[in-house]
């Protein structure tokens, strides 16, 4: 086996590990925000509402909702599908359910719930920054805005389309019984800036670590 092929394999394994780390952090963040009872991000809010309405566990609903969007990706943006996409579909929801079961053993106090909201927000944003840096696919819901931007005959920016999809998800979740709280509002206004902040911090570190690994 030649050296370039070894380096490529090492690079893929490293990026795969970073992708897994990022999606694990996202799962952790979702679990903490669900524990807080103060609201979650719009897509999760919708899936919680569906889960409570039909009496099916959140992990399964999260997976099915992502699969529905994956079908759209397969039709219009297949190149965005990679490991990160698959982990977002089949791993995040169930791992979040598992972690939430552990967190429910903690004291249910206002202080603990507020701390949970803070931890959840930071973990989600940091996790997204990490998995985006690995550049191994994009979560279905994140890809949906890109597809709609390209296919809808409307003069809207990606941010405007994302606001519309977020509001739609929150509305569906609210109608079906999901809790809408300060966490939902915070994620709508602060996740973007926080993700950008963490991405600027994480990207140079992971790029350097990747270079060091492949240079050995």
């Amino acid at each position: 086996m030649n050296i370039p092929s070894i380096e490529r394999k090492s690079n893929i394994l490293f990026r795969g590990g970073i992708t897994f780390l990022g999606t694990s952090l996202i799962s952790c963040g979702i679990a903490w925000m669900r524990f807080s009872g103060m609201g979650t991000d719009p897509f999760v809010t919708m899936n919680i509402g569906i889960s409570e309405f039909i009496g099916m566990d959140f992990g399964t609903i999260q997976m099915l909702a992502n699969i529905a969007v994956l079908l759209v990706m397969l039709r219009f943006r297949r190149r965005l599908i990679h490991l990160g996409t698959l982990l977002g579909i089949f791993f995040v929801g169930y791992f979040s359910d598992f972690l939430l079961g552990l967190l429910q053993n903690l004291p249910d106090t206002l202080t603990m719930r507020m701390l949970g909201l803070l931890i959840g927000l930071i973990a989600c944003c940091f996790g997204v920054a990490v998995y985006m840096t690995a550049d191994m696919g994009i979560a279905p819901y994140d890809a949906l805005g890109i597809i709609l931007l390209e296919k809808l005959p409307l003069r809207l920016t990606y941010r405007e389309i994302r606001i519309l999809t977020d509001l739609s998800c929150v509305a569906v979740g609210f109608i079906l019984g999901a809790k809408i709280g300060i966490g939902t509002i915070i994620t709508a206004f602060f996740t973007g800036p926080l993700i950008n902040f963490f991405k600027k911090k994480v990207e140079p570190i992971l790029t350097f670590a990747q270079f060091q690994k492949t240079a050995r």
Side-chain angles (χ1 to χ4, degrees):
M1 184 181 293
N2 56 35
I3 298 301
S5 65
I6 294 176
E7 291 181 352
R8 282 195 297 270
K9 183 177 180 180
S10 177
N11 180 47
I12 291 173
L13 290 174
F14 179 80
R15 289 168 58 207
I18 294 302
T19 303
F20 181 76
L21 173 62
T23 51
S24 297
L25 288 169
I26 293 169
S27 302
C28 182
I30 292 173
W32 273 106
M33 293 190 76
R34 291 170 66 193
F35 167 78
S36 76
M38 296 182 176
T40 56
D41 73 82
F43 188 60
V44 171
T45 298
M46 181 187 73
N47 292 331
I48 289 174
I50 296 173
S51 170
E52 293 180 355
F53 183 75
I54 66 177
M56 187 178 290
D57 63 274
F58 168 77
T60 300
I61 294 298
Q62 181 86 350
M63 180 185 70
L64 293 175
N66 275 302
I67 288 175
V69 183
L70 176 66
L71 296 177
V72 179
M73 292 178 70
L74 286 169
R75 174 67 177 83
F76 297 109
R77 272 291 186 131
R78 187 170 298 187
R79 66 182 181 82
L80 294 177
I81 300 172
H82 210 298
L83 176 63
T85 313
L86 299 179
L87 288 174
I89 295 172
F90 299 107
F91 174 73
V92 170
Y94 287 116
F95 192 43
S96 171
D97 274 344
F98 170 74
L99 293 175
L100 179 61
L102 299 178
L103 293 176
Q104 286 173 339
N105 295 314
L106 296 174
D108 186 12
T109 63
L110 179 60
T111 301
M112 199 69 212
R113 289 167 60 194
M114 291 179 66
L115 180 62
L117 178 61
L118 178 63
I119 293 173
L121 179 64
I122 293 174
C124 279
C125 294
F126 187 68
V128 171
V130 169
Y131 105 83
M132 286 177 65
T133 302
D135 194 24
M136 293 191 76
I138 186 171
Y141 184 67
D142 294 330
L144 181 61
I146 297 173
I147 295 170
L148 292 176
L149 179 65
E150 294 178 347
K151 301 301 177 182
L152 287 179
L154 300 173
R155 294 181 178 179
L156 297 174
T157 64
Y158 175 81
R159 180 178 176 80
E160 290 168 338
I161 289 176
R162 184 62 182 252
I163 290 172
L164 290 175
T165 57
D166 283 352
L167 289 175
S168 299
C169 287
V170 171
V172 172
F174 177 73
I175 291 170
L176 296 179
K179 292 181 180 179
I180 309 298
I182 188 173
T184 312
I185 298 171
I186 289 174
T187 54
F189 289 98
F190 291 99
T191 50
L194 273 174
I195 289 170
N196 286 333
F197 171 78
F198 285 130
K199 197 167 185 292
K200 289 178 182 178
K201 301 295 182 182
V202 167
E203 209 164 35
I205 296 172
L206 294 183
T207 302
F208 175 76
Q210 183 177 341
F211 172 77
Q212 290 290 94
K213 191 174 182 66
T214 56
R216 289 174 184 173

